[in-house]
Structures are given as structure tokens and as C-alpha cells.
């Protein structure tokens, strides 16, 4: 049997995504879902944010499962940022899965399996279960250890105001009691299904017995009535987690190593019908979440056709896609289409557009970013950075923040000044200058046919060196 400890890498992918957008804590909307000019780290881009707010509301009401949304606009106009803001506003109760289009191809899974897993990670199942609890005040714990220490035995005496019972303890319960540091006088709750113990507090009746109690000791009264009670507990898992736990060849361990492999379709079918059954019986609720596919133009025609069908599944999430492509080729085909999406998918998609930023917005975003990166730019340096942002791109200007800061630190300056920004602009090329440089000096690089002139300044010097 082979044991794998590989992780699937998606966690790392998401990490860098978050770092670039760490200043964003939501869409920045007011109570009527109107975007505020600057709030929650978001600036401008008002109509796209308003549209995202409407989607947010509909997702929260569980109204638009199985729908597709495309955020389209030029590079660095905040498409990814808006999706991140939306996910923050949704909160932790609605599943949100973010992947980049290219990720689908980098896995050991087939493209469609990787997509399928992403879809199922985005569907939550809220399961209601009744568990039996034993709740009472501990009267006495008695533990006998064997000489070797391996085997333990013991008795727990526990009471309510109306009754008192003695339970035999096994190894597991003794460990649990020791771990939770339960002593006589504690009011505890034991979950009978898994043996978990929760300390509810100390009993009032013992309030005066001990003086070795911390100031944060919580006092509760001794429970009344029966020792055994029933309670409804609710927990939420994604369909994908249920798949993993139940796909036998992977086993439970797969959940921790992250390497799930392909999941057989029979397993999924069984789980779907079971979940549907629970839903009928009122034991479970389906929470359609969001699957965000960034850089969606990286997907190919097979992936798009998979998405088309997956959207019709009874458990479909909301699919939000983002792209900066205009009319371009759909991968795996020879035809061009708007945003590189095949027309049948585009047809069922509602589109949110992002617009290029004006100077004011760029300045504000750069300011927020510089604060987020814990740097201090003086006003002139920030205006220069804004000017660079206008003429090159917002992202290039953002990248200069950290660099300029390092340069200013070398001068032991508290603040980043114009000279630091100028220096970093000289040191690091933006794309336009890089293109210009290649046009001038292209012959020194390796071209598509493998030709290169090492050490040559220009073509006409070639002959002399041979
Ligand atoms: N309206 C905004 N308010 C605050 N920060 C923003 C806003 N728009 C963009 N940003 C920030 O600017 C940077 C670039 O934006 P983002 O990555 O969202 O662009 P994008 O539209 O996804 O670009 P691409 O097409 O290249 O993927 C990010 O750091 C992002 O957090
Ligand atoms: Mg993006």
C-alpha cells in the first residue's frame, strides 16, 4: 500500500491571492446595498460593486443556485478584489471556493474531476442530529491504575438535583476527563456519541469548598431532572468532504493529507441520493455556496462544457468567473468569442463589467495598499506613484510600494520620498518599457527559432566576429 503525504496545493494558491487583496474586508456596501465611495478597503468601481451587492443578497437568500456570473474588465480593475470582497461579506457560513483557471490543469486529477471537486466543495450540507448527553455535577471520580500504567479503570459518580448515578469508566473516558482536568464539583456534559466532555462551570454548592480557583471561574447551578438528555446539534460539511470520508479506497486519512484522488461516480451518486433523502426528511439543509473561477479564459472547451452541465445539477453552486480577455479564442477550438467563453455558456451568464480607474481612485487604492504594507509615503511620493499608476498600471505601481520602502529604509528614512519612488522606477521595468527594451535589443535574446547573438550588440557586427 502506498501512503501519500502530498497536499493538493490549492491552499498555497489561495494564500497569494489573499495577500494582494488583504486590505479588502468586504464590498463596502451600506444597509441598502449601495456602495460607499470608500469602505472596507474598497474604492470606486461603484456600479460593479452595486451589481455584486445584488448577487450577494440573492446568494444569502439561497435564490440563485445554478447561475453563472462573469466579471469582465481590463487587467487590474478589481475583478479578483470584488470576488474576495463578496466572499468576506458572505461570511463563514456560506461555502466559498476560489480557484484559478490554470489550477485545473496542474493537478494529477483529470480536468473534469478537478472541476467536479471544486463544485462540490462549494455546496454545504447543514446536518441536524440528535445526540444524547449526560449532564450533571461530578460528585466523585475514582481512577485505579494498573501497575504498568497501560490499563486504567475507574468510576464516575455524577448527579442532578434529583438523581445520582455511578458510571464505569474505560481508558478513553479517563483520558478525556484528565485532559479536561475535571474534578469533583464541576458541572460537565458528556456527548454519548463520541465521548467528548465539555466543562460547563463549577457548581454553586461547591463555591466555598475551594480557594484555589482562578478569577475567571464560572459558577453554574447543578442541573435538575434526568441525567440523560437529548439535544439537537447542527454541523455543516461540504459535499466534497462527505465524498472524501465515504470513498473507501481513500479512507478518512485523505481528509488530512489533502490528497483525495479521483472519487468514483457511484460514491457520489449514493451520497447525492442520501443527502436528498435527508433533505426530504428535514434532517439536512442544502446551502448553495459560491465557486469562484479566476482567469476563466485559461479553461478549455471541455471544461466549459462540463460547467454548462454542472450548472444544471440539483446541487449546483453559484459560479462566478472573472476574465480580462476581450474577443479571443476559446482554448481547444479555432473560433473566437467574447471573453473567450463559448457562446452557449456566455448565453446563460450575467455579466458584471469593471471600468478602468481614474486618477483619484488609483491614488486612494495605492494609499490603502501602502498602509496595508505598513509603509509611510509622503504626499509627493504618493502623487508620483499615482502618476506611475496612471501611465503604466495599478499593479505595477502597487509593486513599487514594497520596493520603494526598502530603498527608503536603506537611507534610514522614516518616510518614503520621491527619490525612492524614482529609484525603484529606474530599477524595475514596467511592461511598456520592457517591450521597448526588447524591440531595441531583441537580438541578444533567444527567439522562437532558437537563434541568439551572444555578446553581439547588433546584426551588422555579426560578420566581423565569425
Ligand atoms: N476598487 C478597489 N478598491 C481597492 N483595491 C482595489 C480595487 N480594485 C483593485 N484593487 C486592488 O488592486 C490590485 C489589482 O486588482 P485585481 O487583482 O482585483 O485586478 P483584476 O481585475 O483581477 O486584474 P486581472 O485581470 O489582471 O486579474 C489588487 O491588489 C486589488 O486588491
Ligand atoms: Mg484577477
Amino acid at each position: 500500500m502506498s501512503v501519500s503525504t502530498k497536499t493538493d496545493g490549492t491552499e498555497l494558491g489561495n494564500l497569494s491571492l489573499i495577500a494582494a487583496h488583504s486590505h479588502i474586508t468586504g464590498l463596502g456596501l451600506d444597509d441598502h446595498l449601495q456602495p460607499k465611495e470608500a469602505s472596507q478597503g474598497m474604492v470606486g468601481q461603484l456600479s460593479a460593486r452595486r451589481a455584486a451587492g445584488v448577487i450577494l443578497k440573492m446568494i444569502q437568500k439561497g435564490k440563485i443556485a445554478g447561475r453563472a456570473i462573469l466579471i469582465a474588465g481590463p487587467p487590474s480593475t478589481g475583478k479578483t478584489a470584488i470576488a474576495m470582497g463578496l466572499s468576506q461579506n458572505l461570511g463563514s457560513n456560506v461555502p466559498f471556493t476560489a480557484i484559478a483557471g490554470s489550477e485545473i490543469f496542474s493537478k494529477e486529477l483529470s480536468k473534469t474531476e478537478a472541476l467536479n471537486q471544486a463544485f462540490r466543495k462549494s455546496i454545504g450540507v447543514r446536518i441536524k442530529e440528535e445526540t444524547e448527553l449526560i449532564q450533571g455535577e461530578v460528585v466523585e471520580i475514582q481512577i485505579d491504575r494498573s501497575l504498568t500504567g497501560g490499563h486504567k479503570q475507574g468510576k464516575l459518580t455524577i448527579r442532578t438535583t434529583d438523581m445520582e448515578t455511578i458510571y464505569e469508566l474505560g481508558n478513553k473516558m479517563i483520558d478525556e476527563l484528565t485532559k479536561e482536568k475535571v474534578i469533583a464539583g464541576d458541572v460537565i456534559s458528556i456527548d454519548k456519541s463520541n465521548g467528548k466532555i465539555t466543562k460547563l462551570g463549577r457548581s454553586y454548592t461547591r463555591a466555598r469548598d475551594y480557594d484555589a480557583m482562578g478569577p475567571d471561574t464560572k459558577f453554574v447551578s447543578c442541573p435538575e431532572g434526568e441525567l440523560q438528555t437529548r439535544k439537537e446539534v447542527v454541523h455543516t460539511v461540504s459535499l466534497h468532504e462527505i465524498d472524501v470520508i465515504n470513498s473507501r479506497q481513500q479512507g478518512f486519512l485523505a481528509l488530512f493529507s489533502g490528497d483525495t484522488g479521483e472519487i468514483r461516480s457511484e460514491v457520489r451518486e449514493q451520497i447525492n441520493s442520501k443527502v436528498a433523502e435527508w433533505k426530504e426528511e428535514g434532517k439536512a439543509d442544502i446551502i448553495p455556496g459560491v465557486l469562484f473561477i479566476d482567469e476563466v479564459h485559461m479553461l478549455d472547451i471541455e471544461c466549459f462544457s462540463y460547467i454548462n452541465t454542472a450548472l444544471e445539477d440539483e446541487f449546483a453552486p453559484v459560479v462566478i468567473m472573472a476574465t480580462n480577455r476581450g474577443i479571443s479564442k476559446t482554448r481547444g477550438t479555432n473560433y473566437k468569442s467574447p471573453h473567450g467563453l463559448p457562446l452557449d455558456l456566455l448565453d446563460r451568464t450575467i455579466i458584471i463589467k469593471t471600468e478602468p480607474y481614474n486618477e483619484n481612485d488609483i491614488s486612494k487604492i495605492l494609499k490603502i495598499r501602502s498602509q496595508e504594507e505598513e509603509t509611510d509615503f509622503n504626499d509627493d511620493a504618493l502623487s508620483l506613484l499615482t502618476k506611475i499608476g496612471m501611465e503604466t498600471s495599478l499593479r505595477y505601481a502597487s509593486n513599487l510600494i514594497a520596493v520603494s520602502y526598502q530603498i527608503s529604509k536603506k537611507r534610514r528614512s522614516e518616510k518614503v520620498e520621491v527619490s525612492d519612488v524614482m529609484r525603484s522606477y529606474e530599477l524595475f521595468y514596467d511592461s511598456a518599457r520592457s517591450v521597448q527594451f526588447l524591440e531595441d535589443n531583441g537580438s541578444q535574446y533567444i527567439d522562437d527559432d532558437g537563434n541568439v547573438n551572444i555578446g553581439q550588440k547588433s546584426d551588422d557586427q555579426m560578420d566581423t566576429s565569425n
Side-chain angles (χ1 to χ4, degrees):
M1 198 189 92
S2 72
V3 176
S4 171
T5 53
K6 270 181 240 127
T7 59
D8 75 6
T10 42
E11 313 306 326
L12 279 176
N14 293 348
L15 236 141
S16 69
L17 213 62
I18 289 164
H21 308 282
S22 52
H23 59 289
I24 286 165
T25 56
L27 287 168
L29 310 173
D30 66 16
D31 296 344
H32 306 287
L33 295 179
Q34 292 305 310
K36 298 187 203 167
E37 182 49 49
S39 165
Q40 297 191 312
M42 275 283 187
V43 176
Q45 206 60 264
L46 296 180
S47 63
R49 281 164 58 204
R50 191 174 300 128
V54 175
I55 305 290
L56 169 71
K57 192 84 206 164
M58 288 163 83
I59 297 169
Q60 280 170 336
K61 286 193 175 160
K63 284 253 168 76
I64 56 163
R67 224 61 82 72
I69 295 143
L70 178 68
I71 311 179
S76 64
T77 48
K79 299 181 293 296
T80 310
I82 286 176
M84 292 301 123
L86 179 79
S87 96
Q88 303 249 17
N89 281 157
L90 279 174
S92 52
N93 289 327
V94 180
F96 185 98
T97 316
I99 58 169
S102 49
E103 247 173 74
I104 298 294
F105 302 97
S106 58
K107 302 201 168 178
E108 284 143 66
L109 306 170
S110 71
K111 301 177 275 193
T112 44
E113 172 68 15
L115 270 176
N116 198 343
Q117 293 193 3
F119 266 79
R120 291 176 76 86
K121 277 181 192 167
S122 317
I123 299 286
V125 184
R126 196 191 293 128
I127 300 165
K128 286 169 242 164
E129 275 171 335
E130 276 216 333
T131 53
E132 272 192 45
L133 300 175
I134 301 171
Q135 269 185 13
E137 175 187 328
V138 178
V139 181
E140 192 188 4
I141 304 173
Q142 187 198 334
I143 298 173
D144 306 319
R145 280 169 214 273
S146 66
L147 281 176
T148 54
H151 185 72
K152 287 170 267 183
Q153 241 186 345
K155 287 196 173 70
L156 168 73
T157 317
I158 186 166
R159 71 174 186 108
T160 66
T161 48
D162 303 308
M163 59 189 291
E164 184 170 310
T165 308
I166 300 174
Y167 289 96
E168 296 280 336
L169 298 173
N171 267 346
K172 190 168 169 255
M173 282 303 287
I174 291 175
D175 288 346
E176 195 59 32
L177 284 166
T178 321
K179 198 178 94 210
E180 296 296 323
K181 300 197 180 73
V182 176
I183 52 173
D186 285 341
V187 176
I188 61 169
S189 163
I190 306 171
D191 186 332
K192 275 182 86 175
S193 64
N194 56 14
K196 261 200 87 58
I197 296 177
T198 325
K199 255 205 234 185
L200 305 175
R202 281 200 66 77
S203 171
Y204 279 118
T205 53
R206 297 289 192 114
R208 271 176 294 133
D209 288 14
Y210 296 89
D211 41 24
M213 279 177 303
D216 48 353
T217 307
K218 193 174 120 199
F219 287 101
V220 292
S221 43
C222 179
E224 294 169 7
E226 297 281 320
L227 266 168
Q228 304 214 10
T229 51
R230 294 181 148 273
K231 210 180 105 191
E232 187 170 85
V233 289
V234 178
H235 65 122
T236 308
V237 286
S238 73
L239 274 182
H240 177 67
E241 284 167 321
I242 304 182
D243 291 349
V244 172
I245 294 167
N246 292 284
S247 56
R248 202 157 306 129
Q249 78 260 52
Q250 319 298 340
F252 191 64
L253 270 179
L255 195 60
F256 299 103
S257 74
D259 188 3
T260 45
E262 305 249 342
I263 287 166
R264 282 177 305 135
S265 58
E266 307 93 80
V267 173
R268 289 208 171 104
E269 274 158 31
Q270 279 172 14
I271 289 171
N272 283 2
S273 56
K274 196 79 208 164
V275 170
E277 207 175 284
W278 288 340
K279 195 181 154 198
E280 280 296 301
E281 295 165 2
K283 283 188 198 154
D285 290 325
I286 310 296
I287 314 168
V290 176
L291 171 59
F292 174 54
I293 310 177
D294 208 355
E295 320 274 331
V296 71
H297 50 263
M298 293 304 291
L299 297 184
D300 64 12
I301 186 75
E302 286 161 35
C303 296
F304 287 126
S305 108
Y306 176 84
I307 294 177
N308 248 338
T309 15
L311 283 171
E312 281 176 8
D313 199 271
E314 68 177 311
F315 304 128
V318 179
V319 177
I320 301 183
M321 303 171 280
T323 182
N324 54 23
R325 296 301 146 99
I327 309 269
S328 61
K329 244 188 206 162
T330 305
R331 281 184 83 175
T333 69
N334 279 322
Y335 51 80
K336 290 188 167 185
S337 56
H339 309 298
L341 253 63
L343 282 172
D344 47 356
L345 179 57
L346 202 60
D347 193 38
R348 40 167 89 211
T349 305
I350 48 176
I351 300 178
I352 298 179
K353 267 180 57 189
T354 56
E355 309 280 346
Y357 289 115
N358 62 27
E359 189 169 348
N360 191 12
D361 291 338
I362 289 199
S363 163
K364 278 191 198 144
I365 294 172
L366 288 172
K367 182 153 194 167
I368 296 175
R369 268 320 294 180
S370 70
Q371 283 161 354
E372 180 68 25
E373 293 183 29
E374 297 183 345
T375 60
D376 195 0
F377 279 64
N378 74 16
D379 289 348
D380 290 345
L382 197 66
S383 343
L384 177 59
L385 198 63
T386 308
K387 190 157 177 276
I388 293 174
M390 285 296 287
E391 275 165 27
T392 62
S393 76
L394 174 59
R395 198 164 280 136
Y396 172 71
S398 294
N399 287 337
L400 289 190
I401 292 175
V403 183
S404 310
Y405 175 64
Q406 282 307 322
I407 293 174
S408 76
K409 253 179 51 180
K410 244 169 106 184
R411 296 191 295 112
R412 297 178 197 286
S413 163
E414 295 270 297
K415 282 197 178 232
V416 182
E417 289 168 10
V418 170
S419 63
D420 304 316
V421 179
M422 273 164 67
R423 185 91 188 95
S424 56
Y425 179 78
E426 283 160 16
L427 271 176
F428 298 96
Y429 276 29
D430 57 291
S431 52
R433 273 184 295 158
S434 185
V435 169
Q436 183 62 47
F437 180 84
L438 284 179
E439 275 168 6
D440 298 345
N441 302 284
S443 65
Q444 293 171 40
Y445 288 73
I446 301 177
D447 66 16
D448 272 351
D449 303 322
N451 300 319
V452 61
N453 301 324
I454 294 169
Q456 303 294 312
K457 277 283 172 240
S458 65
D459 288 353
D460 49 33
Q461 286 175 318
M462 281 278 280
D463 295 334
T464 52
S465 68
N466 279 338

